[in-house]
Amino acid sequence: DLAGEAFGMSKSAISKRFVEQTSRALEEFQSRKFTNRLFAAMMIDGIELGGEMMVIALGITHQGEKVPLDFVHTATEHHRPIKMMLERIKSRGFKVDSGFLAVIDGSKGIHKAVTEAFPRQAIIQRCFWHKYKNVISYLPEKHHQWFKENYYDALESGTYQMAKSLLEK
């Protein structure tokens, strides 16, 4: 309100200008090409913002550069809108060598969208942070520290067998 008055602009003029500029920025964001980058990984996650679900895809290049790829506003982490987002990313030149790591939470919808959009290229990895948070949510608080220590020891153990042994203990 004060900014509008200071510059002699009405609320509606400020709102109109904001909508125009954000629409232009969104169009530029969603039309970017990725053909000049080679990706090693993609992280996909749904985030609730103000009661709305936004599913976001972040690419990671072989050099470790993080590149926001796209997002979709959706009611849930259902596979159809996420697959459409992934198809848009592919159409804009998302390039990988022989495959890439897709890091996702436990969402069945995201998993299905990735396997349908990248049937022979994506190797899916469950995000260790999401797994940790999921397990912690079921444990009494008195066991949180014990689980945290053992979980991270298993992650850093070096082999599948050693990790499995630590977690079974």
Side-chain angles (χ1 to χ4, degrees):
D1 290 343
L2 294 177
E5 290 174 17
F7 293 103
M9 297 175 70
S10 68
K11 288 183 195 179
S12 62
I14 292 172
S15 177
K16 181 180 178 188
R17 192 173 207 175
F18 177 79
V19 168
E20 289 170 355
Q21 290 179 356
T22 55
S23 294
R24 192 170 27 256
L26 178 62
E27 187 177 314
E28 287 173 16
F29 176 81
Q30 291 182 322
S31 64
R32 293 169 306 135
K33 301 290 183 196
F34 306 118
T35 53
N36 61 341
R37 294 180 170 103
L38 190 60
F39 290 92
M42 180 188 298
M43 301 180 83
I44 306 167
D45 194 12
I47 300 170
E48 189 179 318
L49 297 169
E52 302 289 331
M53 175 64 65
M54 301 297 285
V55 178
I56 301 166
L58 177 76
I60 303 172
T61 68
H62 285 270
Q63 293 74 33
E65 177 189 11
K66 295 175 184 168
V67 180
L69 299 171
D70 206 344
F71 65 91
V72 64
H73 178 200
T74 180
T76 65
E77 291 182 344
H78 191 272
H79 81 281
R80 280 191 210 115
I82 299 167
K83 181 181 177 188
M84 289 172 58
M85 174 186 70
L86 296 174
E87 294 294 344
R88 284 194 312 266
I89 291 168
K90 283 173 46 175
S91 73
R92 291 166 42 211
F94 182 82
K95 291 190 312 185
V96 299
D97 274 335
S98 56
F100 69 99
L101 183 66
V103 181
I104 65 172
D105 62 11
S107 164
K108 291 178 183 174
I110 294 176
H111 189 281
K112 183 175 181 179
V114 170
T115 56
E116 287 183 3
F118 299 99
R120 291 184 263 327
Q121 293 177 301
I123 299 168
I124 296 176
Q125 168 69 47
R126 173 88 185 267
C127 173
F128 74 86
W129 175 251
H130 281 92
K131 186 66 174 174
Y132 168 79
K133 294 301 279 181
N134 183 263
V135 172
I136 283 289
S137 73
Y138 288 96
L139 292 176
E141 194 165 333
K142 66 182 182 180
H143 297 302
H144 286 195
Q145 188 59 34
W146 169 86
F147 176 74
K148 181 180 180 180
E149 291 168 5
N150 286 283
Y151 182 69
Y152 285 103
D153 285 347
L155 287 175
E156 295 173 2
S157 65
T159 68
Y160 172 79
Q161 283 304 94
M162 194 180 303
K164 186 175 179 183
S165 170
L166 287 169
L167 290 174
E168 286 175 344
K169 180 178 80 169

